[in-house]
Amino acid sequence: MTETQHSIVWGNCLQIVKDNIHPQSFRTWFEPIKAVKLLGNVLTIAVPSHFFREFLEEHYIDLISKALKRELGKDAKLEYNVKVVSNEAAVQIPQQSSAEIKNKSIPFPNQAGLIANPFVIPGLQQLHIDPQLNPNYSFTNFIEGECNRLARSAGLTISANPGKSAFNPLFLYGGSGLGKTHLAQAIGISIKEQFPDKIVLYVSANRFQTQFMDAVNVKNKLTDFLHFYQMIDVLIIDDVHEFAGKSGTQNAFFHIFSHLHNLGKQLILTSDKAPVDLQDLEPRMLSRFKWGLSAELVPPDYQTRVAILKAKSYNDGITLPDDVVSYIASRVNTNIREIEGTLISLLAQSTLNNKTITLELAEALTEKLVSKNKSEISVGKIQKTVCEYFKISPDLFLSSSRKRELVQARQIAMFLSRNLTNSSLASIGSQTGGRDHATVLHAYNTVCDLIDTDRSFRKYVVDIEKQLKSF
Ligand code: ADP
Ligand code: MG
């Protein structure tokens, strides 16, 4: 056979493959391949990494084999050359018996440098990746309430049908301590229970960013990084608001997201803000976040707080007196993490001092914790402080008057609200006389500019912030 024949045969195969898969998948998985030689009915192709070969075998081998048989007859065979380090050095993969490699597990890439290439273990038929899930964050331990009903039920739908429901991506958002991480992990755990072969991975946005930065400067590592993420069936990324301002990471994530979404893989994202309020992320990414379902987690109502307290104390092996439960539930109403914190302090106090848990003990302790909460800064409190500082009446502050001093006071209040509270732009706007999120964003940017350029203006902002924090 002549030199060019392998290229012709492979070229014909590619035509068939191209007609049968998504263009993006074709670009990712077939364009990097080169035909190397054709000996009889054996075609050899060069692929960039071991993992790449695994991926082809797992996902496209039927298609490749059909195409090849059409070209070379029913005894057609395919062999791989894997270029491990660079384009020059093509090496043959050592054959490994499948018994040796079954059930080996891949540690999730931890610290860079631990293994030469933490993403790729050569020769594995099936990859086992530690999904990084905490078994305590299960659906069983997740108390249902009005505050999480939509998000939870979407989560259950996804668990039964990963990638196949309309909820892709599932975008969970809400303030801190309201159960985003717990719910996202519960979905992962449930999918793993129902579909043990699916590759599920939980990763925080920060960790993803670190891995990306580690990979970006090393030859071939970036490709491995991308390939690693592109083979996940269920990808959970926690706290995507952390991607703000990190354009390289956003870009990598965008490609992984698109690739997985195209292949019908499930994506679950969490964030402290709704997509519309994530102004610091690229628009193309925000628009993708809105493709599926956005579900908000809000602070739990009284009934749910009671249910959570009962469940948590039950898990800790104690029964709280009813008056203690209702007392804590009515006093600690910000978020679930705080409820847990109060419960833990209570248990600690009672065991350390050998006291039984009584209403008095709960009261003494909760007052301490809640009085700290009292100093928590709200949009309303910021507005009140700003009004007092500039000696403006709250009515005028919330009115539609465009008087300069009023506009400035509102802008400062909106700026501080964005910086000091968890409220979304939309929510700050609606609390500022029914303005929209774009107005808040504009105010925020204006104040940022003025702080840099106008000394006396900066002093106002600093003074007010100091006052707020001293309460
Ligand atoms: P977020 O990620 O939104 O900041 P987490 O998921 O970390 O919040 O939740 C904070 C704590 O509250 C966790 O310990 C979690 O187990 C608990 N929690 C949150 N929501 C629930 C719930 N619905 N039922 C039981 N525990 C919950
Ligand atoms: Mg979280």
Side-chain angles (χ1 to χ4, degrees):
M1 295 264 169
T2 66
E3 259 243 280
T4 49
Q5 248 165 332
H6 58 257
S7 308
I8 297 170
V9 167
W10 183 239
N12 291 342
C13 290
L14 284 183
Q15 281 309 322
I16 299 174
V17 171
K18 201 171 192 169
D19 288 343
N20 283 288
I21 69 172
H22 194 278
Q24 167 131 21
S25 309
F26 184 82
R27 272 197 300 279
T28 311
W29 297 106
F30 288 90
E31 283 184 358
I33 299 176
K34 284 203 175 67
V36 184
K37 64 179 178 206
L38 182 65
L39 273 181
N41 56 0
V42 183
L43 176 75
T44 305
I45 57 173
V47 295
S49 67
H50 292 298
F51 167 66
F52 201 100
R53 183 190 69 117
E54 300 302 332
F55 194 93
L56 287 177
E57 293 253 296
E58 205 169 309
H59 296 270
Y60 298 120
I61 198 63
D62 285 346
L63 185 57
I64 299 175
S65 131
K66 274 194 195 119
L68 203 58
K69 282 181 178 155
R70 253 175 73 165
E71 287 299 304
L72 298 174
K74 67 176 176 24
D75 292 327
K77 283 210 174 66
L78 186 68
E79 273 185 7
Y80 303 89
N81 269 4
V82 179
K83 299 178 204 166
V84 175
V85 185
S86 69
N87 289 342
E88 303 105 59
V91 287
Q92 202 75 39
I93 316 168
Q95 285 299 306
Q96 239 179 326
S97 80
S98 58
E100 250 178 274
I101 53 182
K102 252 199 199 136
N103 296 327
K104 242 192 223 173
S105 71
I106 296 190
F108 184 64
N110 226 333
Q111 292 110 350
L114 208 63
I115 337 174
N117 184 342
F119 299 107
V120 179
I121 298 232
L124 280 185
Q125 290 304 320
Q126 224 197 334
L127 293 164
H128 294 269
I129 289 171
D130 181 345
Q132 306 288 306
L133 296 166
N134 174 348
N136 293 327
Y137 286 162
S138 63
F139 272 116
T140 321
N141 293 340
F142 191 79
I143 306 295
E144 181 179 4
E146 221 30 75
C147 55
N148 57 38
R149 205 177 306 282
L150 170 71
R152 180 179 170 278
S153 89
L156 286 170
T157 306
I158 287 172
S159 309
N161 243 330
K164 304 229 161 50
S165 71
F167 308 149
N168 199 14
L170 175 64
F171 190 96
L172 299 170
Y173 68 96
S176 148
L178 296 179
K180 302 180 295 295
T181 300
H182 187 144
L183 181 56
Q185 292 231 357
I187 301 170
I189 291 172
S190 171
I191 293 177
K192 250 334 214 186
E193 279 165 6
Q194 298 177 68
F195 309 94
D197 290 340
K198 288 224 182 282
I199 304 177
V200 176
L201 181 69
Y202 166 91
V203 63
S204 70
N206 273 333
R207 192 152 180 207
F208 180 91
Q209 142 98 1
T210 313
Q211 292 173 350
F212 170 72
M213 295 308 286
D214 282 345
V216 84
N217 292 323
V218 185
K219 202 175 175 188
N220 284 349
K221 225 175 155 189
L222 184 59
T223 325
D224 285 338
F225 171 84
L226 293 171
H227 287 164
F228 174 81
Y229 275 98
Q230 284 173 345
M231 70 177 177
I232 309 287
D233 295 314
V234 179
L235 180 60
I236 305 167
I237 305 231
D238 205 0
D239 296 325
V240 292
H241 54 270
E242 301 278 355
F243 286 152
K246 295 161 184 159
S247 60
T249 312
Q250 279 185 46
N251 191 31
F253 177 61
F254 176 80
H255 286 294
I256 291 166
F257 182 108
S258 306
H259 181 91
L260 294 179
H261 199 274
N262 280 338
L263 292 176
K265 304 303 170 94
Q266 181 69 47
L267 292 130
I268 299 159
L269 311 166
T270 79
S271 157
D272 67 352
K273 297 188 193 75
V276 60
D277 290 319
L278 280 170
Q279 299 290 337
D280 303 330
L281 296 193
E282 285 181 28
R284 58 177 182 164
M285 212 153 80
L286 291 181
S287 88
R288 271 168 175 66
F289 288 172
K290 296 177 202 154
W291 278 357
L293 175 76
S294 301
E296 184 173 15
L297 292 167
V298 298
D301 57 23
Y302 177 79
Q303 289 307 330
T304 314
R305 300 200 293 271
V306 168
I308 288 173
L309 274 164
K310 287 195 168 152
K312 302 248 177 227
S313 51
Y314 178 82
N315 280 345
D316 289 332
I318 47 157
T319 317
L320 291 178
D322 281 349
D323 55 351
V324 172
V325 171
S326 39
Y327 177 78
I328 299 177
S330 56
R331 294 293 286 149
V332 187
N333 51 17
T334 43
N335 69 50
I336 299 165
R337 194 173 287 129
E338 302 255 315
I339 296 176
E340 277 185 351
T342 310
L343 188 63
I344 291 167
S345 316
L346 196 59
L347 294 183
Q349 283 284 330
S350 88
T351 36
L352 290 176
N353 303 330
N354 219 355
K355 288 185 193 158
T356 45
I357 297 180
T358 59
L359 185 58
E360 288 69 42
L361 184 64
E363 275 174 2
L365 208 120
T366 313
E367 279 323 305
K368 267 193 231 148
L369 295 171
V370 173
S371 58
K372 256 201 252 146
N373 287 344
K374 267 194 201 142
S375 71
E376 216 162 74
I377 298 172
S378 65
V379 175
K381 187 159 159 191
I382 291 172
Q383 295 180 346
K384 191 163 168 271
T385 313
V386 169
C387 286
E388 280 164 9
Y389 185 87
F390 290 117
K391 305 199 171 46
I392 293 171
S393 87
D395 286 349
L396 274 176
F397 177 89
L398 295 175
S399 73
S400 54
S401 161
R402 304 277 314 149
K403 268 177 99 176
R404 196 171 167 273
E405 61 185 69
L406 293 174
V407 172
Q408 177 178 296
R410 278 179 213 126
Q411 289 182 331
I412 291 179
M414 290 191 258
F415 169 86
L416 290 170
S417 301
R418 187 173 188 206
N419 276 353
L420 303 178
T421 75
N422 277 327
S423 304
S424 63
L425 293 175
S427 144
I428 296 170
S430 74
Q431 294 179 70
T432 314
R435 289 169 167 83
D436 65 8
H437 82 272
T439 310
V440 183
L441 188 66
H442 175 71
Y444 181 84
N445 292 331
T446 309
V447 174
C448 287
D449 287 348
L450 284 173
I451 286 178
D452 287 340
T453 51
D454 181 337
R455 269 250 204 102
S456 55
F457 185 88
R458 178 165 61 230
K459 187 169 176 324
Y460 297 153
V461 179
V462 172
D463 282 353
I464 297 169
E465 189 168 340
K466 251 193 221 145
Q467 267 189 37
L468 278 164
K469 289 191 168 157
S470 70
F471 282 121

